[in-house]
Amino acid sequence: MVFLVIGIIIVCGYSFLQKSGLDPLPWGTLYEGRRIVSTFENPNYLSSVAACTMPILYACFLLTKNSFVRIIVGLAFAVDYGAWVMAGSRGGWLAGYIGMLILLFGVFRYWRCGRIRFPVKSNILLFFVLIGVTVFAMSSPVIANAQGELSVYERFLSLRHFFFPHGCDWLGFGFGPTSSVVGDVYVYDT
């Protein structure tokens, strides 16, 4: 577990350097500053790693009894969450949400049975840290290309294309066509 925490802090922490423009190394990928990739060649890889490790880190955060270890694991979780958000990978976002929902369902069951203690103060603190990370992540575009820039929120809105491809609105939500204009950015996204 120690190596997972250290690895996530290094790999996902590096994505914060890229997001801030403080990356000391030259870009070696096709994205060249338009999207963060950390130590990977594709932002989808970064997001997938973050999505897979978020439930593991949060489970360790809940199960540890040592306050110092909980702080370190909470920091790793916050950095992991930030990289997950900043990567802008819709598939990674879906995987992360589903993984966390499954974990939280299990945590709720074990908490109801009395098998697990839920550290309320630590979770409240972690919640506020995650809000701060979210605000930081949303401060600049998550994707920049020739058509313009998309924020995290605008990229998140394009998740609907997973469920309603090509403008197919078979549930009647009124999401409209797949290609759309978000602000001044034309999004062609199938």
Side-chain angles (χ1 to χ4, degrees), residues 45-56 80 84 91-97 99-100:
Y45 302 158
L46 170 63
S47 187
S48 295
V49 166
C52 290
T53 54
M54 274 193 323
I56 297 168
D80 191 31
W84 176 70
W93 286 346
L94 283 176
Y97 287 127
M100 287 301 292

Side-chain angles (χ1 to χ4, degrees), residues 11 14 18 26-49 87:
V11 169
Y14 187 68
Q18 287 180 336
W27 286 88
T29 69
L30 299 173
Y31 296 98
E32 297 197 20
R34 294 185 307 274
R35 292 184 72 185
I36 63 157
V37 294
S38 185
T39 57
F40 303 98
E41 67 175 326
N42 191 311
N44 295 328
Y45 302 158
L46 170 63
S47 187
S48 295
V49 166

Side-chain angles (χ1 to χ4, degrees), residues 118-181:
F118 193 76
V120 177
K121 291 178 185 176
S122 297
N123 276 288
I124 291 171
L125 180 63
L126 181 63
F127 176 74
F128 284 115
V129 168
L130 294 181
I131 288 174
V133 169
T134 304
V135 169
F136 173 78
M138 292 187 176
S139 65
S140 63
V142 72
I143 294 177
N145 57 26
Q147 288 81 29
E149 297 176 336
L150 291 177
S151 69
V152 172
Y153 173 72
E154 291 164 339
R155 181 70 170 167
F156 183 76
L157 287 179
S158 71
L159 271 175
R160 70 177 186 246
H161 304 314
F162 276 113
F163 305 105
F164 306 104
H166 306 293
C168 175
D169 189 9
W170 48 271
L171 291 178
F173 289 118
F175 284 138
T178 301
S179 298
S180 60
V181 176

